[in-house]
Amino acid sequence: MPSISETIAAKVSSITIADIPEEVKLRARHLMLDSIGVGIAASTTGFAEVTLNGLSRLDPGEVPVIGRSETLSKSGAAIANGLMIHGHDFDDTHIAAVSHVSASSLAAVISASAGDESITFDELLLGYILAIEVNARLGMAADGRFHDKGFHPTGVLGAYGSAIGAGIIHKLTAKQLVAAQGIVGSFSSGVLQFLDEGSGTKRLHPGWAANAGLHAVSLAAAGFDGPAGIYEGRFGLYRTHIQDSEAPGTELFDNLGEVWEVDNVAVKPFPTCHFTHSFIDIALRLREDPAFEYSQIEHMTARIHEVPARVVCEPVEDKLRPRGEYDAKFSLPYLTAAALRHGKITFDELNESARGEEDVLAAAALLTVEHDDESLYPKAFSGDLAITLKDGTTLHESEKINRGHESRPLTNTEVAVKFSDCALPVVGVEKAGTIQSTIIDAQGSRPATEIIGTFCG
């Protein structure tokens, strides 16, 4: 019986761009556009400057970076582009996989295509789509348990998807793709300790995954071997990372090329951890109730599944008074209070000035957390919020399925609006329009480097 990696390799090797339905390719182009938009928004930040300064110390290169004039090596650009896309935590998520699938996938195929005029945009798009398909299925097989063991699926699983995406672009054989997956298993990484300390290391995870995929593909192409049982083996991914004694079978991968998980990728409406989105939307609706008055909040109760609660509600002291932007993005109490206070959650509500608003921090301290045994997690990121006012009035609402979920998706038109909101302040109207029309309408036969050049450099 073939292993999971052999099943994946055989499937992806047989898929061509012509096999992918037009509506799936169009959605993938919009996911790409969304990623580029949030990457451009991050390109002028302090964390982008620090990252580029650090990477440029290692080795020079000619590969462009999203929204920047600097160039790096293929490896450095993969790390930088992954960081740009994921930097604001505004990039897409495959909800059942609990993984930001585009950040690593797009970063990997950009570097894999860079500098080679013979690689077409169709080939880049095929690699990008198949990277997402593999990344998503690997996460689905874990049923949301990577987070509970302290691993960030975006970094861990993104490495495998990136190896597939880059391997497709470089036309690896099925045997070489098996080796690439086995090799990248020794490179994939991403731990959640940043949650306890407010560090920005999470931003690096998808870029490092893309970089890992590139190296695994290069080694596999040269003849380096890797274990075929990298997923289900005695010391494979599932037994080591989620301590699962029963590793998954190949069922989730048998429909590769028939069922498209690209259709199930959720585009984010807020630049915060996806686990908080239902609560933000509920808060925005409850503040419109005629009975609501911010100064009259007596107490709030948020009900959330215990696994995401450990991410966005613990440690309590750091969630009540965020030390930095990442603490704020991952703080259910702070974001709920900020949404109720300002009527929106944008980049502005996450900056240093906003994080210091005492009336918001005071409201955040009024929120207690309870386990929601009716949550749909990990199939959806459910939320339940009750606000008690000083006169005894209680406002309450539940949202079982978060906005952006596959069953409540942002439309392609809404994705384009989000792209404009992210890109216009940085690149202006004309360039933003050029990027959008190129990504959405470009002929697949055009060189990938031409397309990349519209949004990098």
Side-chain angles (χ1 to χ4, degrees):
M1 181 176 180
S3 67
I4 293 175
S5 69
E6 289 168 336
T7 299
I8 291 172
K11 288 284 185 178
V12 300
S13 297
S14 67
I15 298 171
T16 69
I17 195 69
D19 296 324
I20 303 176
E22 290 301 320
E23 63 272 18
V24 174
K25 289 185 282 191
L26 181 60
R27 186 60 175 179
R29 286 178 182 245
H30 280 86
L31 295 179
M32 192 179 293
L33 181 71
D34 180 63
S35 297
I36 293 161
V38 297
I40 289 172
S43 66
T44 60
T45 61
F47 64 77
E49 294 289 342
V50 169
T51 303
L52 286 167
N53 286 340
L55 293 172
S56 65
R57 293 167 183 253
L58 294 173
D59 52 351
E62 301 300 325
V63 181
V65 176
I66 295 172
R68 304 287 302 201
S69 59
E70 299 95 328
T71 58
L72 296 167
S73 66
K74 285 180 178 284
S75 174
I79 297 170
N81 283 325
L83 175 131
M84 296 299 176
I85 296 168
H86 191 51
H88 275 310
D89 223 292
F90 207 7
D91 52 317
D92 65 38
T93 310
H94 187 282
I95 293 198
V98 202
S99 180
H100 295 270
V101 290
S102 274
S104 57
S105 300
L106 185 55
V109 297
I110 287 172
S111 280
S113 304
D116 188 340
E117 295 287 338
S118 70
I119 296 173
T120 67
F121 183 60
D122 266 349
E123 290 172 313
L124 181 149
L125 187 62
L126 177 63
Y128 172 62
I129 290 172
L130 293 179
I132 289 174
E133 294 296 320
V134 170
N135 186 335
R137 284 170 168 80
L138 292 174
M140 291 164 69
D143 201 26
R145 287 175 289 170
F146 281 107
H147 276 90
D148 205 31
K149 298 299 182 182
F151 291 105
H152 187 204
T154 299
V156 175
L157 306 179
Y160 297 97
S162 294
I164 293 298
I168 290 297
I169 286 174
H170 287 302
K171 298 179 173 58
L172 263 60
T173 65
K175 181 179 179 180
Q176 290 170 326
L177 285 170
V178 172
Q181 292 171 85
I183 294 165
V184 88
S186 289
F187 299 161
S188 70
S189 61
V191 295
L192 296 176
Q193 183 59 28
F194 64 86
L195 290 171
D196 281 359
E197 303 182 27
S199 165
T201 52
K202 179 177 185 283
R203 294 185 172 111
L204 292 168
H205 291 176
W208 188 258
N211 169 57
L214 292 174
H215 279 83
V217 166
S218 185
L219 289 165
F224 207 102
D225 66 348
I230 191 61
Y231 301 116
E232 70 273 43
R234 183 163 62 104
F235 300 117
L237 173 67
Y238 294 102
R239 287 195 170 94
T240 57
H241 284 61
I242 58 175
Q243 289 87 60
D244 195 340
S245 60
E246 294 296 326
T250 62
E251 296 81 10
L252 273 169
F253 307 94
D254 289 338
N255 63 7
L256 257 170
E258 299 167 18
V259 174
W260 300 97
E261 292 302 325
V262 163
D263 286 335
N264 298 327
V265 175
V267 175
K268 280 188 169 187
F270 304 112
T272 66
C273 176
H274 229 133
F275 297 157
T276 67
H277 286 196
S278 285
F279 294 92
I280 294 171
D281 267 335
I282 292 170
L284 294 176
R285 290 193 293 270
L286 291 181
R287 80 185 300 274
E288 298 303 316
D289 191 295
F292 177 79
E293 187 175 340
Y294 187 77
S295 64
Q296 297 303 302
I297 298 174
E298 177 77 19
H299 183 260
M300 296 186 285
T301 302
R303 299 180 70 246
I304 182 173
H305 189 279
E306 60 188 1
V307 172
R310 284 193 279 272
V311 175
V312 295
C313 303
E314 301 173 8
V316 174
E317 59 274 17
D318 298 329
K319 302 306 183 184
L320 295 182
R321 300 188 74 89
R323 296 161 297 180
E325 183 182 344
Y326 247 82
D327 269 356
K329 286 175 178 289
F330 281 75
S331 170
L332 176 58
Y334 172 79
L335 292 168
T336 301
L340 289 168
R341 174 67 179 84
H342 296 291
K344 60 188 177 76
I345 293 293
T346 66
F347 297 137
D348 290 341
E349 285 66 54
L350 300 167
N351 64 30
E352 185 175 3
S353 174
R355 297 194 307 270
E357 293 179 348
E358 287 299 329
D359 60 341
V360 173
L361 298 177
L366 299 176
L367 186 144
T368 59
V369 178
E370 297 178 356
H371 172 62
D372 182 6
D373 56 10
E374 296 180 356
S375 171
L376 299 182
Y377 180 86
K379 293 179 175 59
F381 303 146
S382 306
D384 183 290
L385 179 65
I387 303 173
T388 301
L389 304 179
K390 291 178 181 178
D391 66 0
T393 301
T394 298
L395 306 176
H396 172 257
E397 188 173 326
S398 294
E399 183 170 284
K400 291 301 182 185
I401 299 175
N402 51 293
R403 187 160 55 99
H405 185 275
E406 63 194 68
S407 63
R408 295 183 63 200
L410 269 64
T411 65
N412 287 343
T413 299
E414 289 173 317
V415 172
V417 170
K418 177 185 169 183
F419 166 78
S420 295
D421 289 344
C422 288
L424 283 178
V426 179
V427 302
V429 174
E430 184 177 352
K431 185 164 185 178
T434 298
I435 293 170
Q436 180 174 329
S437 61
T438 300
I439 296 301
I440 301 304
D441 301 324
Q443 292 294 315
S445 57
R446 284 183 62 182
T449 53
E450 288 184 8
I451 311 301
I452 294 168
T454 64
F455 56 83
C456 291

